[in-house]
Structure formats: C-alpha cells, structure tokens
Amino acid sequence: MPTHSPWRADFPGILALEAEGQTYLDSAATAQKPRAMLDALLGYYTGGAANVHRAQHLPGERATRAFEATREKVAQWLNAPGAEQIVFTRSATEAFNLLAYGLEQRLQPGDEIVISALEHHANLLPWQQLALRRQLKLVVLPLDSHGLIDLTHAGQLISSRTRLLAVSQLSNVLGCWQPLQPLLALAKAQGALTVVDGTQGVVHGRHDVQALGCDFYICSSHKLYGPDGVGLLYGRPQALEQLAHWQFGGEMLLHTDYASASFRAAPLGFEAGTPPIASVIALGASLDYLNNLDASAVSAHEAALHAELQAGLQQRQGMRLLGTPNVALASFVVEGVHHADLAHLLSEQGIAVRAGHHCAMPLLHGLGLSGAIRVSLGLYNDSADLRRFFAALDQALELLQ
Ligand SMILES: Cc1ncc(COP(=O)(O)O)c(C=O)c1O
C-alpha cells in the first residue's frame, strides 16, 4: 500500500528540495524542519534578541522564559522527573565529551569503560581518549549476527572492574533497537554508571528515561526536527552530582575572585557562556509541533515506510543489508559494486542518501567494508520518494553490475 505523508507540507525544506529535483533520504544525518520551528527562530530574532539568565530587562526576561520553557518541554518529552536534569550542550557530541571530562577524576588506572562495537564515533572517541589519558581499559562488546549487542558476551565482559557502560539505543548504521534493559541491568549490578546514546532512538517513538533507568541519556536537537547547535544531556540527580565542571566562563559560577571560584550545580553549571538561545527556543517549537501530531499515525506511517524500504531492498540482486533494521533506516552494499560509485550515480539522479563509514568506522571495518550506502527516512517522506529511490537505484545498478 503506497503511503502518503500528511505532514510533508509542514516542512518547507523537503518541498524546496523536491522542487529542485532532490529526494531527501538522509534524515538520520539531519532532519528537515517544520515551519513552526522556522517561525519560532525568526520570531525570536525579529522580536528582539536578548541574552538569557543575566538581564533584568523585558527582552532578557522574555528570552529566559522561552529558553527555560524548552528545558521543561525536553524534560516532558523524555519523562525526566525535572527540568533541572536537562543540560543544554552544543551537540550530542559535546554532551559525550562533557561526560568524559566530567567523570575523568573519578576513574583510576585499570578501571574499565564498556562500549559496543556499533558505537558512533561520538560515543567512542571521548571514552577512548579518556582511557588513554587515565590508563583505563576500553572494553568493546561484540555484536551477534543480527547486529545486536551480544548479551552472552556482555554478561562476561561487564564485570566488577566496569565503572561505566555507554551504549547506543538505536544504531545509526544498522537501524536496530539494542537490548538496553538487560545491558543496563548488567552494568547496574556492578555499580557502574550507565550512558545511553539516544541520538537516533529519540527520533522514533517516545522514550522514558525513568523507565529505562539509565544515569545519562544523550541526544541532539537537529535529528529531532529541531535546529542544529543544541545537544541534550539528561542525568539522574545523583549522577549529575558526580560530574566535575569542565568548561569555565560566564554564568556557570557562583562566586569568583582572581585566585579561585565556586560553581553552580547542573544544569547551569554545565552551560558556560552564552548558550544557543534561538536554537533552544526553536527546539521548543519543534517539540510542540511533534506533540500535536497523532503519535499512532506517525508510527504507522514510519512502519509502512520501513516495510516498503525493506521489501524493495530485498528484491534487488546482490543486495547485502547490514543488520536487521526496525525503523525506516537501512544500510547496504551491493555485491561487486563500490559504494562510492553507487552513491555518485544516485546523487547524479537527485537522490540524497549517505555513503561512507557513517561515523562508525570500526563497525564498518568489522563487517569487512570500507563503506556502505544508508537510506534514512523522516515522517515527511512517502512512497513516491521510495519509488524515485528504487528507480534511480535500478538504473545505477544496471550501469555498474
Ligand atoms: C548514534 C549517534 N550518536 C551520536 C551522534 C552525534 O550527534 P551530533 O553530530 O549531533 O553531535 C550521531 C550523529 O550522527 C549519531 O547518529
């Protein structure tokens, strides 16, 4: 059954790209934005910009109220108990770095940090570099043949030496939900801190950080139909208290003289300097927009796109699909065809997909690949986009195979 997106017209970017002959199938890299978000962005600047948390004047109060309202909305979106548990960073990547620096002094040589073989570089490199700085061991959980973190190995590798587990909820390459609950339970049984990379997961359905029971949950605005320049870090109060301050400057302090200083607790103690005010306010508008959609209609639409994408890929000869995706995101290679050649021919036909290692170089190498093509859809995509993609794919494969 062909699917039509009733929300497509809400996204000027997707319409503009379509008018230009571009089919956008790269939403896992960054999503197009709803008009409501663009209006909020423009409204903030045209209504009079002002800095937050420091001015007594009316524009400053107004900006602070709108900025803090987004913190409330994010807390509600994730079902965090309170807005003070949400820290705004400049990206998900910065949030991982915040944790790695913030926890550094708590870790001793020989301690172990556990990640998995499918992590995005953002959830690999901050820990790898921390391990090098502090002589820690970075333990990598292997995957099973479906692309899921292998629980039997996890049971052996997560041990009393494990001080922190950091794993992805949904792989940006394999598109499959990871077995978070048992993994978090294994780590918690050892008294380890738990970090969930929700950057892709948060985009599909609603997630409850309290039900998950993780210490930290990280995601970014720009994949969640919000503006770029904003990352989100949720922390349990007891976990946030363990973080040392890491970036220093305006607004994050309580008192300073020339010799020493004392600092605020989270969240403001971890938001040094002027934050991305306009983007945070506009993220609030994206969340309002998403909240007003019929959630079951969105998930039915995404499930239909997922099914159509899977069926279409599986019908093509020589197709090797990576993992077993649960959402409308699929990475693949085709036997005898270099992914870069295929990407080139697809983009010549106006198909915007991602090609390469997808910021998960060790995962791709582990699969024996230097790269793959990834197709990822948003709620504005429809069957017509997929038809254009498959027509272009067939044409490219006819030339290359
Ligand atoms: C799974 C995953 N984690 C982390 C990130 C990093 O997000 P950002 O680039 O917004 O910092 C990404 C972005 O592609 C991602 O897909």
Side-chain angles (χ1 to χ4, degrees):
M1 261 272 284
T3 54
H4 162 75
S5 169
W7 311 288
R8 194 170 176 96
D10 299 339
F11 291 82
I14 204 86
L15 300 179
L17 288 171
E18 185 176 355
E20 214 187 332
Q22 292 291 317
T23 301
Y24 190 75
L25 298 172
D26 197 14
S27 293
T30 201
Q32 301 301 325
K33 318 304 174 193
R35 185 175 297 283
M37 187 221 102
L38 303 172
D39 289 346
L41 205 53
L42 197 65
Y44 164 71
Y45 284 123
T46 52
N51 217 324
V52 288
H53 300 134
R54 53 194 83 181
Q56 266 87 52
H57 50 65
L58 173 92
E61 276 175 32
R62 192 162 53 209
T64 304
R65 255 200 320 276
F67 183 89
E68 289 302 322
T70 297
R71 206 188 297 277
E72 296 277 351
K73 289 172 195 176
V74 171
Q76 281 163 20
W77 187 263
L78 298 175
N79 196 33
E84 65 287 357
Q85 289 165 254
I86 304 297
V87 178
F88 292 122
T89 60
R90 269 116 186 141
S91 61
T93 300
E94 191 183 75
F96 286 105
N97 281 283
L98 184 165
L99 290 187
Y101 283 105
L103 294 170
E104 176 159 353
Q105 294 309 320
R106 294 194 165 264
L107 299 165
Q108 308 304 327
D111 284 348
E112 296 185 359
I113 292 177
V114 178
I115 61 165
S116 86
L118 55 71
E119 299 310 321
H120 186 282
H121 296 162
N123 191 28
L124 158 63
L125 294 176
W127 307 122
Q128 178 200 80
Q129 294 301 307
L130 169 61
L132 291 171
R133 287 197 300 277
R134 297 286 293 169
Q135 291 94 49
L136 314 175
K137 186 169 171 204
L138 188 69
V139 175
V140 182
L141 302 178
L143 309 180
D144 68 16
S145 57
H146 301 286
L148 300 178
I149 299 170
D150 188 307
L151 289 174
T152 312
H153 281 101
Q156 291 153 4
L157 292 168
I158 296 173
S159 73
S160 58
R161 287 182 303 279
T162 305
R163 299 294 310 280
L164 183 136
L165 170 77
V167 285
S168 174
Q169 184 178 27
L170 181 82
S171 160
N172 64 310
V173 179
L174 309 175
C176 38
W177 295 109
Q178 296 300 319
L180 275 189
Q181 291 290 5
L183 286 168
L184 297 181
L186 286 169
K188 280 198 273 187
Q190 301 293 348
L193 281 171
T194 53
V195 181
V196 172
D197 179 359
T199 313
Q200 295 293 339
V202 77
V203 182
H204 304 280
R206 291 293 291 269
H207 305 284
D208 179 333
V209 288
Q210 291 185 74
L212 264 179
C214 53
D215 289 305
F216 298 103
Y217 185 92
I218 289 174
C219 55
S220 71
S221 152
H222 69 99
K223 298 193 203 272
L224 190 55
Y225 306 101
D228 40 38
V230 184
L232 305 169
L233 168 68
Y234 153 81
R236 276 197 323 118
Q238 299 83 341
L240 288 170
E241 280 165 16
Q242 296 192 37
L243 296 175
H245 293 85
W246 79 303
Q247 285 186 346
F248 301 92
E251 283 309 298
M252 52 75 67
L253 74 153
L254 290 169
H255 178 265
T256 188
D257 56 26
Y258 287 116
S260 63
S262 58
F263 306 116
R264 291 185 194 232
L268 294 187
F270 294 85
E271 295 177 3
T274 298
I277 302 166
S279 295
V280 167
I281 292 172
L283 168 62
S286 294
L287 293 178
D288 289 343
Y289 170 81
L290 293 172
N291 260 323
N292 284 330
L293 302 182
D294 173 350
S296 58
V298 172
S299 49
H301 177 65
E302 290 192 351
L305 291 176
H306 163 60
E308 219 173 305
L309 175 62
Q310 288 296 307
L313 288 174
Q314 275 155 13
Q315 279 163 21
R316 265 69 195 181
Q317 280 218 323
M319 179 66 61
R320 174 179 166 200
L321 201 58
L322 310 187
T324 42
N326 307 116
V327 299
L329 181 162
S331 298
F332 65 90
V333 288
V334 181
E335 215 179 287
V337 173
H338 196 280
H339 66 271
D341 295 334
L342 183 51
H344 179 72
L345 291 182
L346 287 173
S347 58
E348 273 197 338
Q349 297 177 81
I351 305 295
V353 293
R354 180 102 181 255
H357 53 63
H358 310 297
C359 296
M361 213 184 266
L363 168 65
L364 271 290
H365 288 172
L367 295 167
L369 300 170
S370 62
I373 306 275
R374 183 183 70 190
V375 185
S376 58
L377 287 78
L379 56 87
Y380 34 69
N381 287 116
D382 58 21
S383 294
D385 291 328
L386 282 177
R387 270 198 305 278
R388 284 194 286 272
F389 163 66
F390 282 118
L393 179 65
D394 288 341
Q395 192 146 348
L397 291 180
E398 209 173 293
L399 277 173
L400 294 170
Q401 269 178 331

